[in-house]
Amino acid sequence: MEDRVRVVIAEDSVLLREGLTRLLTDRGHDVVAGVGDGDALIKTITELAGENLLPDVVVADVRMPPTHTDEGVRAAVQLRKSHPGVGVLVLSQYVEERYATELLAGSSRGVGYLLKDRVAEVREFVDAVVRVAQGGTALDPEVVAQLLGRSRKQDVLAGLTPREREVLGLMAEGRTNSAIARQLVVSDGAVEKHVSNIFLKLGLSPSDGDHRRVLAVLTYLNS
């Protein structure tokens, strides 16, 4: 059973907002507010902060009123700067690389980017919400594939083997070494060796701590 988390949902579709609320509350989590646009999201978080009642995570649509372009992700980026302790999980109909890059360019803690289709996989979606709330990372496999696909054009990942790239993609989805081993049908030791090689080849030192798992995927963003 997941640890109980407090959630604010920002989604202009009332049907989807209510659906997300139901999914999370049925799993024992607290949805403390639901809003329909980016301005309302910022206002709600500011008010909750004033009452010392900040949520653990915000789930926000990338596109919201009034223009339905980037209001949601802009609000998410702003929240990550003003309230870095609050996790942010954004939902998008399609992989929008620019928005994913903007969201992931800062701290790697407590951030997620999922396609809305992933919501239908209830367990995976709720797990992602909890993981982001707890300071982890949740990236949709399609997002990872596109970002890694672009990075292949850069020298930063040129030294990785095909297997190391595969491990790197699974790492970025938030999977543990054991989960990667099960996915690839190899031993935990083999995965640990691949991960160590990835860190070494990307120049990520032990001083980077646990963040190396995310930095390994996002290094190219700053290259």
Side-chain angles (χ1 to χ4, degrees), residues 97-113:
E97 190 174 302
R98 178 170 65 87
Y99 297 151
T101 300
E102 184 176 5
L103 185 69
L104 298 168
S107 169
S108 60
R109 287 186 56 81
V111 63
Y113 189 113

Side-chain angles (χ1 to χ4, degrees), residues 33-82:
V35 299
D37 61 71
D39 289 341
L41 173 59
I42 297 298
K43 180 181 179 181
T44 296
I45 295 300
T46 300
E47 291 174 349
L48 290 172
E51 299 171 7
N52 199 28
L53 294 173
L54 278 173
D56 300 301
V57 60
V58 168
V59 178
D61 190 358
V62 165
R63 301 186 176 197
M64 289 193 290
T67 67
H68 292 279
T69 54
D70 62 353
E71 283 84 358
V73 75
R74 283 195 289 107
V77 171
Q78 182 177 335
L79 287 177
R80 280 176 57 74
K81 293 178 180 178
S82 59

